[in-house]
Every structure is written in structure tokens, then in C-alpha cells.
Amino acid sequence: MSESKKNGANPHGALGTLGRRTLFGAASGLAAAGAFRLAAPAVHAQEPVTLRYLGTAVNQSAEIAAKVKQDLGITIEYIPVVTDDVIRRAVTQPNTFDLLDMEYFSAKRVAPSGNLQGIEAKRIKEFDNITPVFTKGEIDGKKIGEQGTAPKKVQFMKGRNSKEFADGPTEWMSLIPTTYNADTLGIRPDLIKRPVESWKELLNPEFKGKASILNIPSIGIMDAAMVVEAMGAHTYADKGNMTKAEIDKTLGILTEAKKAGQFRAFWSDFNESVNLMASGETVIQSMWSPAVTKVRSQGIPCVFQPLREGYRAWASGFGIPRTLEGRKLDAAYDFINWFLSGWAGAFLNRQGYYSAVLSTAKANMEPYEWAYWMEGKPAAQDIKAPDGSLLEKAGTVRDGGSYEQRMGRVACWNAVMDENTYLIRKWNEFIAA
């Protein structure tokens, strides 16, 4: 999600581990697993540290800040900005923050500046347990879609001070994954009253004047591409990096539908998407999982619909600016290790996102919560949000099923195209058409 799905802000959803020796290979010269077990220096209460945390609102919460303050004595100072400003500050003002929380596709724009320092895998205590979605592009040993900026393409750096990504695993990571999810269309089953199984339904004339698409160009174009492929109108080499001709073709199809009256609206705000569906003004649209939940919390039927062509996915992660050193650098590692240790993962899982280390999150969730959120089983009890409010009633099954069923069916990942400037110009022409 290029903008945060939480609370109306901009975002931006086969467990198994990857041993370090398997990951780095014999050539790494790090045969002893113990070499990776070096803990970051502890942050002592008598040495208070404040970390300036730059990012979108997706992982920024008062609860997380309060919990890490209690556990480690670290004060988190949030700097919430939109995605484009995360990138801009990371490239031009690396001294203005201590920890960067950005989407994986943004790494391709930030790393060439030299303002990211490689994160030492050996200082990440749960490195072995980070889901292979990030390190290998797999779920339960099976490859998932890599179109767009799949995390594994930008997960490793060639060195601590490198400006380039490595083709395979190294000792240096660009980002430490925080949250990720798989997105699809939201529908109103009570108003549609028939099965919806394909992305192409977004442009079905049956829903004329009742459809909506996300008005964030880099994401909306990929939803559109899922529709165009499902229609059989074009097959993309990479939906996340289209040619100018493909952009023209895709937006030509959307423009034709727009002029025919297909779309009720083009939303860019979380609450707008909720209101469109809750009111029944739209019955099918681009949507984010927490927005679907928000509609349902109002007692209105809404489904985050699994579709046969798969999902469009997104992911975010922590980066460390090259300027960070000394006690603050140690504190950043301590915070990252704390974030992966389970409490924060469980907190985010309860909002419908996925955490980077599933085993620690599971240990911090009730069995019935884990069964609902991660295993696709009917809720044995009412499902509550972190603030205690009711999300789903007992007996409900999570849309899309289990973690493996959802993340295992990713078709493409959010991306910034090489032709991004051209895309934005053509997208604005489409919206104005």
C-alpha cells in the first residue's frame, strides 16, 4: 500500500525459517550459527535515548511507543508524513531522523542516494525466523509472484555502505520487515447477490455507476492491470514496471469505462472508501483490508473478496540512516529487535496486517486469535481490535482464509515504475477525462 491503511492515514494484510548458513551459503565463511547471535548493547535506564521515527502512520501508534518505553526505556518520537515525503527526507535530509519506516518499493529510490546503511544480519536476533516471503520470495517452499518490487529484490545490500542491492542474500539488509499484506477488491455481497471471482468484474457494465478505483497512480494502475489481464486484453511482462505503450493501453481501457459511466468515484482517502461502500454508493471497488473491517463494524455486509488472479501485495520495513552511530545506533538495533520479539507483531496482526516474525507474534496472541487471523479458521470467540472494540463476531472466517492462502497467491507487489513521471501525467489525464 503506498499509503497507510490505518486510521485514515496514508499507508500505505507455511511458516518456516531460513537458517543463516542456508541463507548465506558456505562462501560467507560464517559457518558457526553462533556468529549471528551477537546481541545489540542494552539501552540502560540511566542513559535515556530518543529515536526520531520517520514514516507513514502504518506502524506508528501510541501503544507501541508506550510499550517500548516501558520495556527498554527508549522514547519514540514519531514523525508522520506521507510516502513521498518519507522518500524525499530520506534522500535529502538523513540527519533529521534516526529510524526510517518505509515501503519496500521506496528502497529503490532511497538506496542510490547512499543514505541507507546496511543493517547487520548478525545483530538481528530473530533473523533466522523472518518469513521467507522477504528472504526467498516463498511461502511454504513455493515461489510467489515477483512482479513489481518484490521484497526479495531489494532485501539485501552488497555491503554496509553500498548503494546497490545484492542479487542474493548477504550479511547486510536494506530493511527489516515490519508489516505487509495482500490486497484485493472489496464488494457488497448483499447488493451484488452473486459470486464475484475475477478482477475483471470491476469493469463489468452490470456495476455501471457503482464501481470505484483507488486514485493513487502507482497503486491504481496496478489494480487496473489486474483487471486488464483478467479481461484478456493484455499480458504484462511486469505490471509493476510498464512501458509507455502499456500505460497508454491500460489507461485507455479505464478511460473508455469512465466515459461510459462505470465509476462512481475515485477515492484516495481511507474514510472515503469506507463511506462509499457503507452507503451503497459503490458495490465493488479497490479497497484495503482494515477499511472492509470498518464497514463490517457498522453492521453492513462487506467482503475483501478472494479473486482467482490473486492479490496485489505491499510491504514496509525499518531502515537505518547512514548518519546514525554510537548510542543511537545501538538503540535503533535494540528497538528493531524488540519490534520483532512478538508484542508489536501481535498488536499489528490484530489489525489485519502480517508481521515479519510469525513465531514470536503467535506466542503473544491467544490461540483463538491466531486461528482466526492466521489459520483461516472460524473465530471461536468474538475478535477484538487492540483497543478492545469488536471487529468480528464468533463464527466469522477471515476473508481470503489463512496466511498461506493469501500471501501464497500474490500476483504482484506495489512498485514505482521507471516511467513514473509519464504514468502520473497520463493518470491525471484519465481522472480529468
Side-chain angles (χ1 to χ4, degrees):
M1 108 203 108
S2 161
E3 304 295 283
S4 157
K5 301 181 180 180
K6 190 173 73 171
N7 299 330
N10 285 328
H12 201 44
L15 312 184
T17 61
L18 186 61
R20 289 192 174 102
R21 278 182 287 180
T22 301
L23 180 64
F24 296 141
S28 70
L30 295 169
F36 288 92
R37 299 298 181 187
L38 301 178
V43 176
H44 301 291
Q46 65 268 32
E47 299 177 350
V49 176
T50 295
L51 291 178
R52 298 166 300 170
Y53 179 130
L54 175 69
T56 61
V58 97
N59 296 334
Q60 296 187 2
S61 73
E63 293 89 344
I64 287 176
K67 183 63 174 172
V68 75
K69 175 76 170 180
Q70 174 187 329
D71 290 353
L72 298 185
I74 295 174
T75 298
I76 298 298
E77 179 184 297
Y78 287 129
I79 307 171
V81 296
V82 298
T83 296
D84 285 348
D85 287 339
V86 172
I87 297 168
R88 187 175 301 112
R89 286 183 62 161
V91 170
T92 63
Q93 302 175 55
N95 287 312
T96 63
F97 59 91
D98 306 310
L99 192 68
L100 180 66
D101 186 357
M102 68 178 182
E103 293 195 59
Y104 267 74
F105 72 74
S106 301
K108 293 177 72 174
R109 298 173 66 182
V110 176
S113 71
N115 286 347
L116 281 181
Q117 62 174 276
I119 298 173
E120 291 185 77
K122 68 182 179 183
R123 294 186 68 174
I124 304 303
K125 296 177 183 179
E126 292 290 340
F127 177 85
D128 285 346
N129 297 321
I130 291 174
T131 170
V133 165
F134 292 88
T135 54
K136 299 178 72 175
E138 295 179 358
I139 289 282
D140 200 21
K142 299 176 182 177
K143 294 290 184 183
I144 59 177
E146 295 184 0
Q147 289 191 23
T149 306
K152 69 168 252 184
K153 295 179 180 178
V154 296
Q155 184 61 82
F156 296 97
M157 307 290 287
K158 291 185 176 180
R160 184 183 187 278
N161 299 311
S162 177
K163 297 180 181 181
E164 298 179 271
F165 302 109
D167 293 333
T170 70
E171 298 173 49
W172 304 98
M173 304 180 77
S174 59
L175 302 172
I176 300 297
T178 53
T179 55
Y180 53 105
N181 211 332
D183 286 349
T184 181
L185 296 175
I187 69 166
R188 282 285 302 271
D190 58 321
L191 300 179
I192 292 178
K193 298 179 180 178
R194 67 168 178 80
V196 171
E197 299 176 345
S198 172
W199 279 86
K200 68 182 180 182
E201 296 278 19
L202 187 67
L203 294 188
N204 189 328
E206 177 184 343
F207 306 127
K208 181 179 178 179
K210 295 282 189 178
S212 180
I213 196 166
L214 174 58
N215 188 16
I216 296 175
S218 61
I219 308 177
I221 192 70
M222 296 184 74
D223 281 356
M226 294 292 287
V227 173
V228 169
E229 272 200 348
M231 293 169 60
H234 183 69
T235 299
Y236 302 84
D238 186 346
K239 286 183 281 292
N241 200 19
M242 298 181 195
T243 64
K244 287 183 177 179
E246 287 178 324
I247 292 170
D248 288 344
K249 183 176 185 66
T250 305
L251 291 178
I253 291 171
L254 282 191
T255 301
E256 184 179 344
K258 181 176 187 285
K259 289 180 176 178
Q262 184 70 12
F263 298 111
R264 171 65 182 83
F266 303 95
W267 67 265
S268 56
D269 175 77
F270 174 98
N271 290 319
E272 186 182 4
S273 74
V274 171
N275 294 337
L276 285 168
M277 289 295 270
S279 66
E281 291 181 66
T282 61
V283 299
I284 184 168
Q285 67 177 27
S286 299
M287 215 160 179
W288 293 330
S289 180
V292 171
T293 300
K294 184 76 176 287
V295 174
R296 284 216 289 252
S297 71
Q298 300 177 34
I300 300 167
C302 190
V303 173
F304 204 43
Q305 185 64 36
L307 301 171
R308 60 172 169 260
E309 296 87 10
Y311 294 83
R312 174 187 50 75
W314 58 272
S316 295
F318 288 133
I320 298 177
R322 63 172 173 79
T323 52
L324 203 64
E325 58 187 8
R327 189 154 53 99
K328 280 208 168 188
L329 179 59
D330 292 339
Y333 274 102
D334 281 335
F335 175 74
I336 290 170
N337 281 320
W338 175 86
F339 198 93
L340 298 180
S341 68
W343 188 93
F347 180 85
L348 292 164
N349 280 3
R350 293 186 183 104
Q351 297 175 62
Y353 302 113
Y354 292 126
S355 54
V357 180
L358 302 178
S359 55
T360 58
K362 181 178 183 179
N364 282 269
M365 298 175 76
E366 295 295 331
Y368 77 91
E369 292 181 299
W370 183 261
Y372 170 79
W373 288 113
M374 303 300 294
E375 295 177 344
K377 295 179 181 177
Q381 303 178 34
D382 287 351
I383 298 297
K384 304 290 184 64
D387 65 2
S389 62
L390 179 67
L391 284 181
E392 300 288 359
K393 294 181 179 179
T396 305
V397 175
R398 183 176 184 177
D399 297 337
S402 70
Y403 174 80
E404 289 85 354
Q405 288 172 318
R406 287 182 61 160
M407 292 307 302
R409 298 193 60 244
V410 167
C412 59
W413 293 82
N414 282 3
V416 174
M417 300 184 188
D418 293 342
E419 297 291 350
N420 185 58
T421 301
Y422 183 78
L423 163 63
I424 291 172
R425 178 164 62 85
K426 301 302 288 188
W427 181 271
N428 290 337
E429 290 176 4
F430 152 63
I431 294 297

